[in-house]
Amino acid sequence: MSFNRKLLATAALIVILAILPLVVGRDDIINLMFMMFLSVTLAQSWNILGGYAGQVNLGHAAFFGVGTLVARYLWFSGTPIYVAMLVAGLVAVIFALIIGMPTFRLRGAYFAIGTLGVAETVRITVGNVLPIVTALPSNFIVNYDLNLRYYAALVLAVLTVLVTYWLVNSRTGLGIVAVREDEDAGEASGVSALKHKLIALAVSSFFAGVAGGLFAFYHVSYYYQFPFAPNWTFDALMITYIGGVGTLIGPVVGAFFYVTVREWLAVSIVDAHLFVFGAIFICVVLLLPGGLVEAWTKMQRVRLLSRLLRPTPPVKSVVKGRGEQT
Amino acid sequence: MLECEGIDVFYDDLQALWGVSLSVEAGEIVALIGSNGAGKTTILRTIAGLSKPAKGDIKFDGVSLSKKPAYDIVDLGIALVPEGRKLFGSMTVLENLELGAFTGRARGEKNATMKWVYEVFPLLEERRNQTAVTLSGGQQQMLAIGRALMSQPKLLLLDEPSLGLAPLVVQMIFDVIEQINQRGVSVLLVEQNAHAALERAARAYVVENGRVVGHDTGQNMLRHEHVKSAYLGGV
Amino acid sequence: MPIDALTQGLVFGILVGALYGLAAVGLSLVFGVMRVLNVAHGELLMIGGYASFWFFSLYGIDPFVSLAATIPTLFVIGIVLHRGLFVHVTKLREEDRIKNSLLMGFGLALILDNLAIRLWTADERSITTVYSGAAASLMGVSLPYVRVGSLLFALVAILALHLFLTRTYIGRSIRATAEDWEAAAIVGINVDRTYLLAFAIGTALAGAAGALVSVGYSINPGIGLEWTLKALIVIVLAGMGSVGGTLAGGLLLGAVESVSVYFIGGAYREVVGLVMFLLVLLLRPKGLFGN
């Protein structure tokens, strides 16, 4: 598809999503779409560091969780929610940079388990300091507008994808991808690996933090430590890989696929979706590293190829030609 | 005995060998000479099975090697003494030698073969309980050759055996190579020290930029103008 | 007397530390030989625990006796998992190997966690034998028979592994492959079979540790991540290259955890280990006992 057609399709999709709550009156669908948008944001933000920069970060939930804490606190103290969400994102960035500076000295798998270690440390600490549930005050509950949350989530998801697009196509984005491909070669040609990793980390953690704010905005009550649990990281990671790691629409496609299948499977057996996704994830890692996006492009190529090889309907002929049958 | 037929070898996307063809007959010493990076090591590694040819084939006594893993190729009778020796540094001389006889074919005769290796390299017997990493360069080279001999090879591939060694030791190593050859082991020898290699080789190939550019008997090569200026110090 | 509580805690810490070491040794072997980081290692431990639990619950077989069945079972599971999954990862280059094995292990862990919940429910399980509550008493310190038995078994298993790797021909071929797989291949060592063997042994050791956890402590389908982390912490603390070092790392972790509980309470027990892990990872990546 050409760029303009892609743009048109995307715009049409956003318009459809924007009018969805007005057309469909069902709360359960709105909630489902909310989850999808949140997943897109979390996955796309992970994708920036994990996919484009190639640094597999297993501590993403920590940024998300920090965002929930900050936003919840500010919002309950009277700050408008959008300001609270923004501040949540910024605090997440500061937190990320503080742990990023030392952690980025680790490479590859060591970075991965190091970030996991940090995230678990944060989770346990939060669980100890705040072992309780945070609940929406009654006046907030009375005024709870689901559609508002829906639009907030949609806007955030769109913003995350847009910023990712802009970042990846910028000069900085080139440097970030260079770090993924070959960190040492990049350094040798003047691309500061650390600087680019930190930039990717900053953008990644910002959106994770704002997503945390969104989470705090949406949920009526939850345990403070809930958003710090590693499954938030693992979900984002799986969605990104299944959709297509290091691509722009991979996380989007993956989130749609993930949330839909999870809903569909939840009817029969709870949590069975993890089993299915674990299996799909392994298949992706082994056989189709580009995920659904790669599967799609491969299918397109096959279709294109078959169209090229058969420009006209087969002609009955005595002489055997290529691709023809007698 | 060994036939390389037009092999192309790549390291990821980088082509290292273009259509390399060479042969080694039973009982011969064949030399590969050429400058650094010409592809000589790649040729030996590919024959040994550590790299696979993208095009072409390698046959040993009629059996195709290009799909076989390196450890099966050892079993067929080819042993590599690699550049840099690749010893098991944390293990003793004895343990290194023993591991050399790992293949089924050689394992039964392990003790007899080791006796022979000790005859060829008495020093190794003296130091048999010493860890390989504590040996000197020359001793490590001896151990590397000895370990390769433990698999009872029909063809010995030697990659720069004289590299970094003192002249006296180099002389000794080359004498040993001739000694091994006289026992019936064919040798494919890669050497920077072209003169020493060509003196002892029945035939030789010149490798430049991943291609075989010359082929002649060892004696003729020594007198060849281009070879003399490029690889023999121009005398 | 307060000092008794500290000593008692320390003893308990060392007793569990032996299991940390046993859990880590399998992962360390696999990583050292194949450069594969199987983060589903904790799940394999969990399966060992359930195997032992069911041998006991269904057939009344003592858990220390059923080890003779659990260990071969996990060995076979290791062969299946390697042949089915991890062998494909070993075909990659080293940098890709570690990352892809991490991802693959992660997917496998999800599947195994879920399978366990489905098959055996999320309930906490523990084996209670006739001697489960009994303990010896040495100078005022309680030594539960079950935990001491586990420590002894762990020591024996680790010693057996050490002897296998240093004194047998096959064991030495495994070490050779770990040191330099190309060198191993050119002396005729079947590297692919060595990988398979190492992975199967690593899995069997995890299963053994799990069996001991099920009798001395308790198991549930969620312990996978917890024990994988423990194993990772021990490996990072100890460094690579020495089986004895890994055991020492496990004991150290157990000891430090229990001493910290004495001073700052149980809520931060896991955090202490994680913080040590991060410090060593950042400041002394080779580990404290490794080469």
Side-chain angles (χ1 to χ4, degrees):
Chain A
M1 266 202 262
S2 71
F3 179 75
N4 283 331
R5 280 176 94 190
K6 276 191 201 168
L7 202 59
L8 209 66
T10 315
L13 179 66
I14 295 180
V15 167
I16 293 174
L17 291 172
I19 61 175
L20 192 83
L22 310 170
V23 172
V24 179
R26 291 171 51 181
D27 270 6
D28 56 346
I29 296 194
I30 306 293
N31 279 314
L32 190 70
M33 297 305 294
F34 176 90
M35 273 296 138
M36 208 175 294
F37 300 148
L38 181 65
S39 301
V40 168
T41 307
L42 269 177
Q44 188 67 281
S45 56
W46 187 88
N47 190 28
I48 295 172
L49 185 59
Y52 286 108
Q55 310 297 309
V56 175
N57 168 25
L58 296 181
H60 204 57
F63 310 145
F64 182 59
V66 164
T68 66
L69 282 182
V70 171
R72 197 79 161 175
Y73 173 74
L74 288 177
W75 187 38
F76 283 7
S77 311
T79 318
I81 183 60
Y82 304 112
V83 176
M85 281 168 64
L86 190 65
V87 175
L90 293 172
V91 172
V93 172
I94 296 173
F95 173 74
L97 291 176
I98 293 176
I99 61 169
M101 283 295 310
T103 333
F104 275 139
R105 282 202 274 149
L106 305 168
R107 297 265 208 123
Y110 298 103
F111 174 75
I113 59 178
T115 51
L116 181 62
V118 171
E120 282 294 282
T121 305
V122 171
R123 178 185 67 81
I124 295 171
T125 309
V126 169
N128 287 330
V129 172
L130 294 166
I132 53 176
V133 168
T134 159
L136 225 49
S138 44
N139 56 320
F140 280 43
I141 298 181
V142 169
N143 298 325
Y144 192 97
D145 182 349
L146 183 61
N147 284 0
L148 186 61
R149 273 114 179 120
Y150 173 94
Y151 286 118
L154 174 60
V155 166
L156 182 59
V158 170
L159 253 169
T160 312
V161 176
L162 279 179
V163 170
T164 307
Y165 176 78
W166 169 79
L167 178 68
V168 166
N169 287 305
S170 72
R171 190 125 181 250
T172 317
L174 221 65
I176 290 174
V177 174
V179 166
R180 173 185 76 199
E181 292 306 315
D182 192 331
E183 197 166 318
D184 301 313
E187 284 279 5
S189 36
V191 176
S192 161
L194 182 62
K195 184 177 106 174
H196 285 88
K197 284 189 209 175
L198 288 172
I199 293 175
L201 175 66
V203 180
S204 172
S205 57
F206 176 74
F207 283 107
V210 178
L214 184 66
F215 180 94
F217 184 40
Y218 174 80
H219 281 283
V220 172
S221 69
Y222 57 90
Y223 279 96
Y224 275 111
Q225 60 172 304
F226 178 58
F228 289 89
N231 63 283
W232 292 101
T233 306
F234 297 155
D235 284 354
L237 188 150
M238 262 208 305
I239 288 174
T240 306
Y241 270 93
I242 291 178
V245 65
T247 69
L248 191 65
I249 53 166
V252 178
V253 167
F256 175 77
F257 182 71
Y258 184 77
V259 174
T260 315
V261 175
R262 183 172 64 184
E263 270 309 300
W264 176 56
L265 285 175
V267 178
S268 41
I269 352 161
V270 184
D271 267 4
H273 69 282
L274 286 175
F275 187 93
V276 171
F277 283 114
I280 297 178
F281 182 72
I282 291 183
C283 291
V284 164
V285 170
L286 277 179
L287 305 167
L288 201 68
L292 293 172
V293 169
E294 181 182 332
W296 174 260
T297 32
K298 279 207 173 124
M299 259 188 355
Q300 295 285 71
R301 231 174 274 158
V302 168
R303 235 182 278 154
L304 196 67
L305 212 64
S306 60
R307 239 190 293 153
L308 283 174
L309 285 175
R310 221 186 305 159
T312 51
V315 174
K316 277 215 163 120
S317 162
V318 176
V319 179
K320 275 194 228 170
R322 201 191 310 174
E324 293 176 308
Q325 298 169 358
T326 46
Chain B
M1 179 192 206
L2 176 82
E3 293 276 343
C4 284
E5 299 159 352
I7 54 174
D8 283 357
V9 176
F10 290 80
Y11 287 122
D12 286 334
D13 291 329
L14 218 64
Q15 186 155 5
L17 297 180
W18 281 263
V20 166
S21 295
L22 56 86
S23 68
V24 178
E25 300 304 324
E28 281 190 315
I29 297 181
V30 174
L32 290 183
I33 59 172
S35 50
N36 263 333
K40 314 189 297 293
T41 297
T42 310
I43 293 174
L44 289 193
R45 279 178 55 100
T46 310
I47 296 172
L50 292 177
S51 297
K52 294 283 161 224
K55 227 193 318 179
D57 197 10
I58 305 174
K59 289 213 177 66
F60 187 64
D61 284 344
V63 178
S64 168
L65 300 183
S66 42
K67 297 267 190 302
K68 287 196 184 295
Y71 45 84
D72 280 346
I73 293 178
V74 176
D75 210 24
L76 289 174
I78 300 181
L80 172 67
V81 182
E83 197 182 12
R85 292 154 218 146
K86 278 181 159 319
L87 296 171
F88 302 119
S90 69
M91 300 196 187
T92 65
V93 167
L94 178 62
E95 288 173 334
N96 268 274
L97 289 176
E98 281 199 317
L99 286 172
F102 199 81
T103 66
R105 191 171 51 87
R107 224 187 278 192
E109 322 242 326
K110 192 166 39 151
N111 293 323
T113 319
M114 202 175 304
K115 256 183 88 191
W116 174 53
V117 171
Y118 284 154
E119 274 170 32
V120 175
F121 296 118
L123 219 120
L124 290 183
E125 184 168 18
E126 277 171 42
R127 293 167 192 274
R128 63 182 179 281
N129 290 318
Q130 210 175 312
T131 23
V133 74
T134 60
L135 296 174
S136 73
Q139 293 161 351
Q140 287 189 355
Q141 190 61 59
M142 289 188 238
L143 178 55
I145 297 177
R147 185 181 69 176
L149 293 176
M150 289 298 295
S151 66
Q152 298 206 334
K154 300 183 205 158
L155 172 63
L156 189 63
L157 307 172
L158 286 153
D159 199 344
E160 308 277 7
S162 72
L163 203 60
L165 300 183
L168 261 172
V169 184
V170 171
Q171 185 61 37
M172 191 267 281
I173 297 276
F174 276 116
D175 287 341
V176 164
I177 292 175
E178 276 187 311
Q179 203 185 331
I180 296 170
N181 178 243
Q182 265 143 37
R183 283 269 288 217
V185 180
S186 315
V187 173
L188 181 56
L189 174 63
V190 162
E191 251 307 330
Q192 282 272 41
N193 188 343
H195 194 101
L198 291 174
E199 274 195 329
R200 294 169 173 83
R203 290 182 300 117
Y205 294 86
V206 182
V207 181
E208 260 170 37
N209 294 321
R211 294 171 176 79
V212 170
V213 299
H215 175 209
D216 211 331
T217 67
Q219 293 304 311
N220 285 351
M221 276 286 186
L222 276 172
R223 292 189 278 266
H224 200 282
E225 274 316 309
H226 170 67
V227 169
K228 272 160 70 172
S229 59
Y231 308 113
L232 296 175
V235 173
Chain C
M1 256 174 48
I3 198 69
D4 268 11
L6 179 59
T7 317
Q8 182 68 64
L10 193 60
V11 166
F12 278 161
I14 290 177
L15 289 173
V16 78
L19 292 185
Y20 291 163
L22 186 61
V25 133
L27 189 59
S28 179
L29 180 68
V30 171
F31 185 64
V33 174
M34 314 163 46
R35 297 293 182 274
V36 155
L37 197 60
N38 175 18
V39 292
H41 193 76
E43 272 70 18
L44 300 173
L45 184 146
M46 170 197 51
I47 292 177
Y50 274 104
S52 174
F53 175 79
W54 289 116
F55 279 135
F56 179 76
S57 303
L58 298 177
Y59 308 116
I61 306 177
D62 178 271
F64 286 98
V65 170
S66 67
L67 277 168
T70 306
I71 292 178
T73 308
L74 268 294
F75 187 86
V76 169
I77 291 178
I79 292 179
V80 170
L81 285 176
H82 179 83
R83 278 258 165 80
L85 290 177
F86 288 97
V87 69
H88 303 289
V89 176
T90 62
K91 304 289 182 217
L92 304 170
R93 266 183 335 198
E94 191 173 314
E95 315 96 63
D96 295 333
R97 241 187 241 196
I98 302 181
K99 179 157 143 183
N100 275 327
S101 64
L102 192 115
L103 294 173
M104 180 116 85
F106 163 67
L108 179 64
L110 275 177
I111 293 179
L112 291 176
D113 281 347
N114 230 267
L115 205 57
I117 294 179
R118 214 136 301 292
L119 290 174
W120 304 313
T121 81
D123 293 342
E124 198 88 19
R125 313 279 193 166
S126 183
I127 297 178
T128 315
T129 63
V130 279
Y131 51 86
S132 272
S137 185
L138 189 67
M139 297 191 289
V141 173
S142 165
L143 298 167
Y145 287 135
V146 170
R147 297 198 185 176
V148 172
S150 301
L151 174 112
L152 289 174
F153 180 84
L155 291 178
V156 167
I158 292 177
L159 181 64
L161 180 68
H162 174 77
L163 291 175
F164 172 69
L165 291 175
T166 50
R167 300 275 175 91
T168 68
Y169 201 31
I170 304 262
R172 265 176 272 157
S173 74
I174 293 179
R175 275 172 50 221
T177 309
E179 195 171 322
D180 186 341
W181 75 265
E182 283 194 335
I186 60 172
V187 300
I189 294 174
N190 188 329
V191 170
D192 295 319
R193 208 168 47 206
T194 308
Y195 285 165
L196 177 64
L197 186 60
F199 194 87
I201 293 177
T203 307
L205 288 169
L212 296 174
V213 169
S214 73
V215 64
Y217 307 87
S218 71
I219 58 169
N220 64 68
I223 63 172
L225 177 64
E226 180 191 322
W227 278 90
T228 301
L229 270 177
K230 287 276 188 265
L232 284 173
I233 293 174
V234 170
I235 292 179
V236 163
L237 281 184
M240 301 285 312
S242 143
V243 165
T246 308
L247 173 64
L251 296 173
L252 177 67
L253 177 64
V256 169
E257 274 188 347
S258 50
V259 169
S260 78
V261 167
Y262 180 78
F263 288 110
I264 62 175
Y268 288 96
R269 186 199 189 106
E270 309 294 321
V271 171
V272 167
L274 288 168
V275 168
M276 273 207 316
F277 165 78
L278 289 167
L279 286 175
V280 173
L281 202 58
L282 288 171
L283 301 175
R284 212 193 138 95
K286 287 249 183 286
L288 302 172
F289 313 120
N291 30 319

